[in-house]
Amino acid sequence: MTEPSAQPPTAQSIEEIVRSATAELDSLENLEAVDQWRVSYLGRRGELTTVLRSLSSLDVDQRRTIGASANEAKNTLEECLEERVRKINGAALIRSASQGRMDVTLPGRPALEGRLHPTTQIVREICSAFTAMGFGVVEGPEVEWDHYNFEMLNIPKGHPARDMWNTLWVDYEDPAGEQAMLLRTHTSPMQARVMEGQEPPIRVVVPGKCYRYEATDATHEWHFYQVEGLAVGEGITFADLKGTLYEFARRMFGEERQIRFRCDYFPFVEPGVDMSIDCFACNGEGDGCRICRDSGWIEIMGAGMIHPKVLEGVGYDTEKYTGFAFGMGPERIAMLKYGIDDIRHFYANDLRFLRQF
Amino acid sequence: MRVPLSWLRQYVDVDLPAQELAHRLTMAGIEVGEVEVIGGWNEVFVGHVTYVHPHPNADRLRLCVVTTGSEELEVVCGAPNVASGQKICFAKVGANIYNTHSERHETLEAAKIRGVESQGMICSAIELGLGDDHSRIIVLPDDAPTGALLDDYLGDTVLDLELTPNRLDCLSVLGVAHEVAALTGKTVREPEASYEESGAPITEKVNISVASPELCHRYTASLLLGVKIGPSPQWLQDRLTRAGLRPINNVVDVTNFVMLEYNQPLHSFDYDLIKNATVIVRRARPGEALTTLDGVERKLTPENLVIADANDPIGLGGVIGGSNSEISDSTVNVLLESATFDGTNNRATAQTLGLRTEATLRFEKGLRPELAPIALRRATGLIQEVAGGTVAPGIVDVLSDEGADPPVVILTSGKIKRMLGMEVDLKRVRETMDALGFTWELEGDAALKVTVPYWRNDVNIEEDLVEEVVRTIGYQSVPTTMLSSPIPFQQPVPVMGLRDQIKDVLAAVGIQEVINYPLVTLQQLEQVEHLDKSALPLRVANPMSSDREYLRTTLRASLLATLASNQGHSAGPFRMFEAGRVFWPRNGDLPEERETVAGVLAGLRHEPSWLEDDSLLDFYDAKGVVESVLDRLGVTATYEPVDDPAFHPGRCAAIKSRDALLGLVGEVHPVVMERLGLESPQVAAFELYLGPILAALPSSQQQFEPLPRYPSATRDLALVMPSDVDAGRVTQLILRHRGVDRAELFDIYAGENIAEGTKSLAFHVYFQARDRTLTNEEVNRSLDGLLRILEKELNVTLRA
């Protein structure tokens, strides 16, 4: 630092101050030194301030020119100061950041996690495959009349086909003394309920719980879901059923899937079939495949053209309308997709199982 | 139904491999569950016993010399029926047979039996897996080729069919033969029924009448005199054994054989035990009883059809015979019955008496009356063949009018096109009908008049014939098209949308969905809610177990049980919800199925972690969840203290919108927790009732509210009030005050520095105007007003 000059300032002396001040500033590495520097040049008694103050001793012309360069010098020093402070701060950040190492291998703070039940997820997936094809989604009662669960589906009392559905009956007798109320054994009663409520065209799927009087094992549950499907209208054919279910199979299991039908029996459809897809695990190869048990094919659902007695039962003109129906078990589809080996996992509600999906 | 290929080949040529045949049958609707191979014995041959000597060291054993043609071997045999000159099944060392001692299939080794080396074994049925008998060796027919591999001579393949209830016809080997013929382009050879008749005609020997033709559509009978009861020949026993039936005696075996052959159940009576040689087919009289062949005395009602003699029932028509007319070793004369009983009545009788027999399995599905005399003649001839005797000329045939004519169905090309979406050439249709044994006449140039063959009872309408066509030509020949009918408008179902939305929010705030059984015990329900004894939950009439008897009226019981079962695995957090229905009985109607969502929260608040504290989930966690849900739905709710038997006193709030109860939130009552074995210090729970929530949803679409353009002003208020003033009421008063935009409760304090019996609540209160920046004076004026109201309404004052 130079002593404040008693001499009146000149442009050269101001330039000299700026040069030495900036040189000095550039060598400073901490904020305290920079602050001292600010005091000694720009402070109330600082060198440049002193120069500015002594301008009054100059004549008007000189005061204007020297004053201008003195102000410019002040601005220059202030800018340099700011720049220096920014640099020092930046360097300090980098220095401190390099000290702030964390153990990035430690586990993170657990976020809250909840998932939908795998059955819910699969049911939604199935339904959305059909809604994309113009089907609506409706539901029906889980406690149902014999009338809808059997009679309206061409399964009268005493019919041997009733053996296909072991029934849990509700302790209730109708005025005629008949056991008339049950836990629905399938979602098919909604076929009649939906048709009773409206005229064709109809396209709906019906997801929901069903119940059977059945011992449980790895592939049987007494409590399970079904997704029923129904399309009724003019000119609906078995070929349309094939197309609809083929499209479903591709959406659910992949574009390259093939489908296959075999004859099967359900009293409420005729012809009745069982649909298989070629195995997505082995691509239909079969041999040694655990999923399709060597067959190359996996049975997915039952289906068929709605039986004329069912259509007549709801008052439809069977000369005008035809339709198809199908039904599938979402748990079975989930088991296939996720490789679950035992259906009893689904409703045992062990969180260690549910959290996997 | 077990169908041995050896038997099937009696009626139709089978040149496909068994697996391929099984596949074709399955695709056509006759599902083959398993293809079972009989044989694989390897070193077992047809042997010829040339000498039988006594065993030197054992009275019961014999030393036999057996020749296989190429070699002679000495074996020890303990069977009483072994004799010189017999053809037998001879297992050489190395054979793969069943060992009755180890109860496993093993390779036969040479052994010394009582000091004598045995170089093989003469087999009984059990060692070869051909039956249960191990007291006697199998004696083969004399013409069995000595030295032949038994795998070739006796080996077989059995198709085990898993039939749907409509395909009655395939409960018989001939029925399957018709299917096989249709699927492989072969023709069926029907068995012959010929026998000689002599003596007085049957009508002079027995008097048969049908008093209940509505339950017995046809009754036919024949009479055999002077038969000799004894074991059946080996071929007959083999047929039955492989099909899964146990041989009894020659007469009974023939009736069973013809049943498996033709499907027609038959029954044989000891003619001499029928009083007055009179048979009446009638309903049982009230109080009548019959001891059936299984030795059980059955009480009968007029709903049961019996075969009676002049006095008493001697059989339960189409179900089981009576022991009072049973064929025994001393039987000489046999009355043979082949009848058509009403399916519905037959099934009802079988069900009420708990008697499902091979006969009822067939009758209940409705046999065709044409079958009865065909099977009768076949069985009569066979009995004469295997048991001797003479047949009284003629048969008895009582036929009611019902169902006497075979069904005739018109099948049109138009119908096929309308059902399948494709044309099928009528020539192709006719070929299909021919192959399946249906007869037809042309009706014009686009229709067939089809007569259904006697063995099929499942074809009655045109759609049934369309199925016959498509299952024969194969479903792969039907084209694949997309629905072209109009897409109907789909009315959304609001409660389903609401449930999905709530489920999504719950999963998003970290709650896992579970799905429980809706059947529980009454006790489980009583533990968690007050039950009105006069309106108990619905009960299942035939529960599978006592813990699944009642239809739940609340989700609480099973949800808490699920929580308890999971507490064994970890310390939490347990955050679970269920969306399901509860069932409220309604008089004379189906129950009301109320959509409910319930959740439980217990255990650690956070997953165990080095970062987090070990605080526990509590009431306010559950309430926060409920608030998230309702906020998302746009429902404004209030929370009022309420008492509920399942919840901790003083820790339960009713969630309300106006007067409607939307749900409950609280902590579970400690007594309930103890009963259910819940381990956490506290369990928080909530219940949401979807019906009332649906009604409380904002009626109009949520509308955009412009963001504030002017800054808000904040004041912090520390308020002191009596301890029993609920924060909700204070907050409500603040929020309702003019100029207040929102308020945040940020501290609650009671203790030092404030008076006993009081507490302090601290709020950030935000003042906001839509159209300008509020001045200090305006804010202060509003605040003064707020404080005056708080003091007046709730005795709330500013903390000094």
Side-chain angles (χ1 to χ4, degrees):
Chain A
M1 193 191 289
T2 42
E3 281 297 302
S5 170
Q7 299 297 315
T10 65
Q12 284 85 354
S13 69
I14 290 171
E15 231 171 82
E16 181 53 35
I17 291 170
V18 169
R19 199 170 17 250
S20 67
T22 53
E24 189 184 338
L25 184 62
D26 283 348
S27 68
L28 300 178
E29 292 297 345
N30 66 64
L31 293 177
E32 291 84 54
V34 169
D35 199 50
Q36 276 180 26
W37 176 91
R38 185 187 59 77
V39 171
S40 61
Y41 287 100
L42 297 168
R44 261 171 11 101
R45 292 163 193 277
E47 225 172 306
L48 198 60
T49 317
T50 311
V51 169
L52 285 166
R53 210 174 284 137
S54 63
L55 286 177
S56 53
S57 60
L58 298 178
D59 62 29
V60 176
D61 277 356
Q62 273 187 317
R63 203 187 298 168
R64 189 175 299 133
T65 54
I66 302 291
S69 47
N71 267 324
E72 196 181 319
K74 189 184 175 209
N75 288 341
T76 304
L77 289 190
E78 278 173 351
E79 275 168 29
C80 288
L81 171 67
E82 240 173 74
E83 174 66 19
R84 193 69 208 156
V85 167
R86 222 175 4 248
K87 269 197 180 145
I88 290 171
N89 277 339
L93 272 179
I94 288 165
R95 216 169 29 248
S96 84
S98 72
Q99 305 297 314
R101 179 183 178 278
M102 283 185 176
D103 183 350
V104 296
T105 65
L106 280 170
R109 182 170 277 120
L112 287 177
E113 198 187 15
R115 301 186 187 192
L116 295 175
H117 192 281
T119 303
T120 300
Q121 295 183 39
I122 286 283
V123 166
R124 284 188 177 185
E125 209 179 321
I126 293 168
C127 290
S128 69
F130 285 106
T131 53
M133 289 187 267
F135 284 73
V137 185
V138 295
E139 292 179 343
E142 292 173 26
V143 179
E144 188 51 282
W145 297 117
D146 181 289
H147 176 76
Y148 285 106
N149 197 77
F150 290 125
E151 305 267 331
M152 293 290 280
L153 294 170
N154 192 30
I155 316 164
K157 285 199 177 58
H159 195 288
R162 284 210 176 192
D163 292 348
M164 294 167 77
W165 299 274
N166 296 322
T167 307
L168 283 162
W169 296 93
V170 173
D171 187 12
Y172 167 89
E173 282 184 358
D174 67 8
E178 297 271 357
Q179 214 165 30
M181 201 188 284
L182 46 77
L183 304 192
R184 68 173 171 196
T185 59
H186 45 188
T187 41
S188 310
M190 277 302 282
Q191 288 188 25
R193 284 184 178 272
V194 167
M195 288 192 281
E196 274 184 343
Q198 67 192 92
E199 279 292 308
I202 291 171
R203 283 188 209 182
V204 290
V205 285
V206 188
K209 283 188 175 190
C210 305
Y211 308 88
R212 302 230 178 123
Y213 187 97
E214 210 159 88
T216 56
D217 62 26
T219 54
H220 294 88
E221 249 285 1
W222 68 275
H223 155 281
F224 56 95
Y225 279 71
Q226 274 191 348
V227 179
E228 187 86 6
L230 182 72
V232 193
E234 290 183 54
I236 293 182
T237 68
F238 190 87
D240 296 330
L241 169 64
K242 269 184 87 172
T244 304
L245 296 187
Y246 178 50
E247 190 55 29
F248 166 74
R250 300 193 327 157
R251 282 168 197 262
M252 220 42 209
F253 298 102
E255 190 187 351
E256 67 283 6
R257 286 286 67 77
Q258 299 298 308
I259 58 169
R260 187 177 85 172
F261 291 88
R262 69 174 198 87
C263 184
D264 204 349
Y265 171 67
F266 308 96
F268 37 96
V269 289
E270 188 71 32
V273 290
D274 193 290
M275 187 188 88
S276 299
I277 55 170
D278 65 330
C279 179
F280 49 81
C282 65
N283 263 319
E285 298 291 329
D287 285 343
C289 180
R290 212 171 52 88
I291 301 289
C292 63
R293 299 215 176 93
D294 299 333
S295 74
W297 294 92
I298 304 170
E299 291 189 0
I300 292 293
M301 70 173 101
M305 300 302 291
I306 301 172
H307 198 286
K309 283 208 179 142
V310 176
L311 295 174
E312 280 161 20
V314 297
Y316 282 4
D317 179 354
T318 54
E319 288 303 309
K320 190 172 176 196
Y321 298 122
T322 50
F324 61 73
F326 54 85
M328 70 192 94
E331 293 92 347
R332 175 168 160 73
I333 291 175
M335 288 171 81
L336 290 168
K337 278 193 102 148
Y338 302 133
I340 300 166
D341 60 358
D342 194 327
I343 195 173
R344 288 170 293 196
H345 284 308
F346 282 80
Y347 307 112
N349 291 313
D350 188 324
L351 292 175
R352 294 170 299 182
F353 170 79
L354 297 175
R355 284 188 180 139
Q356 294 183 27
F357 305 99
Chain B
M1 175 69 188
R2 288 168 55 84
V3 180
L5 284 188
S6 59
W7 192 350
L8 189 65
R9 286 197 168 100
Q10 190 178 335
Y11 316 115
V12 65
D13 292 338
V14 177
D15 43 23
L16 290 176
Q19 290 293 349
E20 173 60 21
L21 181 67
H23 173 70
R24 287 210 200 167
L25 284 168
T26 299
M27 298 310 284
I30 314 298
E31 187 174 359
V32 179
E34 203 186 333
V35 177
E36 186 189 318
V37 175
I38 294 175
W41 304 298
N42 300 332
E43 294 288 293
V44 183
F45 299 89
V46 175
H48 185 205
V49 182
T50 50
Y51 297 101
V52 176
H53 307 294
H55 191 288
N57 308 324
D59 293 345
R60 294 242 198 103
L61 300 178
R62 250 75 65 84
L63 278 180
C64 305
V65 177
V66 174
T67 175
T68 63
S70 55
E71 53 185 332
E72 275 201 345
L73 297 152
E74 203 174 48
V75 290
V76 177
C77 180
N81 65 325
V82 68
S84 176
Q86 284 173 335
K87 294 286 180 68
I88 47 83
C89 306
F90 178 64
K92 279 172 62 174
V93 170
N96 175 31
I97 58 175
Y98 183 76
N99 182 331
T100 52
H101 299 290
S102 69
E103 300 186 341
R104 268 187 301 207
H105 283 272
E106 286 175 2
T107 304
L108 185 67
E109 291 170 3
K112 266 195 175 169
I113 300 172
R114 293 284 187 106
V116 179
E117 167 138 321
S118 183
Q119 295 171 299
M121 182 187 233
I122 302 177
C123 298
S124 68
I126 197 165
E127 278 112 17
L128 300 175
L130 296 173
D132 297 332
D133 190 356
H134 62 280
S135 64
R136 304 158 65 86
I137 57 163
I138 294 176
V139 180
L140 298 173
D142 290 342
D143 62 1
T146 302
L149 256 183
L150 199 69
D151 280 334
D152 294 338
Y153 182 67
L154 271 191
D156 205 347
T157 302
V158 178
L159 305 180
D160 199 351
L161 307 184
E162 289 171 6
L163 294 170
T164 52
N166 59 325
R167 291 310 299 271
L168 168 67
D169 55 307
C170 289
L171 280 173
S172 72
V173 182
L174 258 174
V176 177
H178 284 291
E179 278 294 308
V180 171
L183 297 173
T184 59
K186 309 284 187 199
T187 41
V188 170
R189 297 179 292 272
E190 295 240 9
E192 280 177 29
S194 63
Y195 49 86
E196 283 180 18
E197 298 174 335
S198 59
I202 184 170
T203 45
E204 288 177 18
K205 307 284 282 183
V206 62
N207 179 17
I208 295 180
S209 62
V210 176
S212 300
E214 77 283 5
L215 301 185
C216 176
H217 308 311
R218 189 168 202 172
Y219 196 93
T220 69
S222 66
L223 182 62
L224 290 112
L225 302 170
V227 301
K228 184 165 183 350
I229 304 296
S232 293
Q234 192 64 43
W235 70 264
L236 181 52
Q237 296 201 23
D238 284 348
R239 288 275 191 262
L240 294 181
T241 315
R242 286 187 202 174
L245 291 191
R246 195 165 47 88
I248 295 169
N249 61 47
N250 46 12
V251 171
V252 173
D253 289 353
V254 166
T255 58
N256 281 334
F257 174 84
V258 175
M259 176 181 72
L260 293 180
E261 186 179 53
Y262 271 100
N263 233 359
Q264 172 70 50
L266 301 113
H267 187 67
S268 48
F269 299 94
D270 186 327
Y271 172 75
D272 299 305
L273 297 176
I274 302 173
K275 289 184 197 73
N276 297 356
T278 297
V279 171
I280 305 168
V281 184
R282 61 165 169 84
R283 290 174 182 270
R285 300 187 181 117
E288 247 177 358
L290 173 69
T291 301
T292 47
L293 285 177
D294 51 5
V296 180
E297 183 181 308
R298 315 263 174 190
K299 302 254 182 287
L300 305 176
T301 74
E303 293 304 307
N304 309 130
L305 184 75
V306 296
I307 314 300
D309 60 16
N311 303 335
D312 301 308
I314 54 173
L316 200 49
V319 181
I320 192 169
S323 57
N324 53 2
S325 59
E326 187 179 358
I327 301 289
S328 68
D329 290 347
S330 58
T331 298
V332 179
N333 304 316
V334 172
L335 181 73
L336 188 61
E337 164 202 286
S338 177
T340 312
F341 297 108
D342 178 71
T344 309
N345 175 263
N346 182 271
R347 179 175 161 87
T349 293
Q351 281 187 337
T352 44
L353 297 180
L355 260 173
R356 296 300 291 276
T357 60
E358 288 285 335
T360 64
L361 277 181
R362 291 170 171 82
F363 281 125
E364 69 168 18
K365 299 182 178 78
L367 284 174
R368 295 270 300 277
E370 300 101 300
L371 186 55
I374 299 172
L376 181 77
R377 292 201 169 90
R378 169 71 170 156
T380 306
L382 277 177
I383 290 177
Q384 194 178 45
E385 182 185 323
V386 303
T390 60
V391 179
I395 62 166
V396 173
D397 188 353
V398 185
L399 178 62
S400 82
D401 293 338
E402 219 165 312
D405 297 321
V408 174
V409 184
I410 305 289
L411 176 61
T412 62
S413 301
K415 183 70 165 189
I416 294 175
K417 173 134 204 293
R418 212 163 91 80
M419 296 292 298
L420 300 183
M422 69 184 285
E423 310 253 12
V424 181
D425 184 45
L426 206 58
K427 182 164 169 285
R428 188 79 205 280
V429 176
R430 294 199 312 250
E431 286 166 4
T432 309
M433 294 292 106
D434 287 339
L436 288 164
F438 291 68
T439 52
W440 50 268
E441 290 166 42
L442 279 176
E443 284 264 311
D445 51 6
L448 296 181
K449 187 175 169 187
V450 178
T451 304
V452 180
Y454 69 83
W455 60 87
R456 296 290 297 271
N457 74 328
D458 62 319
V459 176
N460 299 294
I461 58 173
E462 199 173 3
E463 283 79 0
D464 295 334
L465 285 178
V466 174
E467 177 169 88
E468 293 302 305
V469 171
V470 69
R471 77 184 180 92
T472 311
I473 65 176
Y475 299 91
Q476 72 283 353
S477 48
V478 178
T480 302
T481 56
M482 285 308 280
L483 283 168
S484 52
S485 58
I487 295 180
F489 174 72
Q490 308 295 358
Q491 195 71 46
V493 182
V495 76
M496 289 168 58
L498 175 65
R499 190 182 53 212
D500 276 352
Q501 207 178 354
I502 292 177
K503 282 163 82 156
D504 288 339
V505 175
L506 290 175
V509 299
I511 310 189
Q512 171 68 46
E513 185 187 13
V514 300
I515 297 177
N516 287 300
Y517 295 148
L519 290 180
V520 293
T521 66
L522 199 56
Q523 188 198 12
Q524 274 182 296
L525 294 175
E526 277 169 342
Q527 280 172 349
V528 294
E529 69 176 1
H530 174 72
L531 284 182
D532 180 355
K533 294 288 176 200
S534 65
L536 283 179
L538 285 178
R539 199 181 75 86
V540 170
N542 57 333
M544 288 177 292
S545 62
S546 56
D547 59 340
R548 291 173 200 158
E549 193 173 354
Y550 285 88
L551 274 160
R552 65 184 176 192
T553 46
T554 171
L555 298 183
R556 294 171 186 174
S558 36
L559 201 50
L560 290 172
T562 293
L563 172 62
S565 73
N566 272 289
Q567 282 186 328
H569 309 142
S570 79
F574 302 104
R575 304 160 60 92
M576 298 184 275
F577 79 93
E578 177 170 15
R581 296 178 183 175
V582 299
F583 302 85
W584 286 88
R586 284 189 292 207
N587 208 4
D589 200 352
L590 295 177
E592 185 189 349
E593 299 189 7
R594 294 186 193 159
E595 293 280 353
T596 309
V597 174
V600 291
L601 297 96
L604 291 172
R605 177 168 286 125
H606 307 283
E607 290 289 341
S609 159
W610 62 282
L611 281 161
E612 302 291 358
D613 58 29
D614 50 6
S615 64
L616 298 176
L617 288 158
D618 64 20
F619 173 86
Y620 294 106
D621 293 284
K623 190 174 175 198
V625 169
V626 169
E627 286 166 339
S628 289
V629 170
L630 296 179
D631 188 48
R632 176 72 70 89
L633 298 174
V635 171
T636 312
T638 56
Y639 298 84
E640 297 170 13
V642 74
D643 283 330
D644 182 286
F647 285 99
H648 193 301
R651 295 190 187 173
C652 179
I655 308 163
K656 286 190 159 179
S657 168
R658 296 196 185 83
D659 284 338
L661 181 65
L662 306 185
L664 292 174
V665 55
E667 279 181 15
V668 175
H669 200 296
V671 172
V672 173
M673 287 182 50
E674 198 194 350
R675 278 189 203 138
L676 297 177
L678 292 167
E679 283 163 5
S680 333
Q682 73 256 352
V683 173
F686 63 87
E687 268 178 359
L688 295 171
Y689 312 132
L690 268 55
I693 291 176
L694 204 57
L697 288 180
S699 54
S700 54
Q701 184 66 49
Q702 169 79 34
Q703 296 295 311
F704 166 71
E705 194 173 285
L707 304 181
R709 294 168 61 187
Y710 302 94
S712 63
T714 315
R715 295 288 186 275
D716 286 357
L717 299 184
L719 301 171
V720 180
M721 65 204 74
S723 303
D724 62 353
V725 172
D726 285 338
R729 301 182 63 196
V730 180
T731 313
Q732 258 180 10
L733 279 185
I734 296 173
L735 287 176
R736 264 191 227 144
H737 192 68
R738 198 180 144 84
V740 173
D741 181 51
R742 59 197 170 91
E744 287 160 5
L745 176 63
F746 68 89
D747 190 38
I748 298 179
Y749 178 76
E752 269 181 61
N753 299 330
I754 62 168
E756 201 162 313
T758 67
K759 66 180 171 187
S760 160
L761 302 183
F763 291 89
H764 299 301
V765 182
Y766 297 84
F767 295 86
Q768 171 89 60
R770 286 271 142 212
D771 55 351
R772 66 190 188 284
T773 304
L774 291 171
T775 64
N776 250 338
E777 272 165 29
E778 285 175 310
V779 172
N780 290 341
R781 212 162 38 238
S782 174
L783 186 60
D784 287 344
L786 174 60
L787 291 172
R788 271 197 305 279
I789 289 169
L790 284 171
E791 179 155 20
K792 189 172 146 225
E793 297 275 326
L794 297 173
N795 195 18
V796 171
T797 54
L798 262 187
R799 186 171 166 186

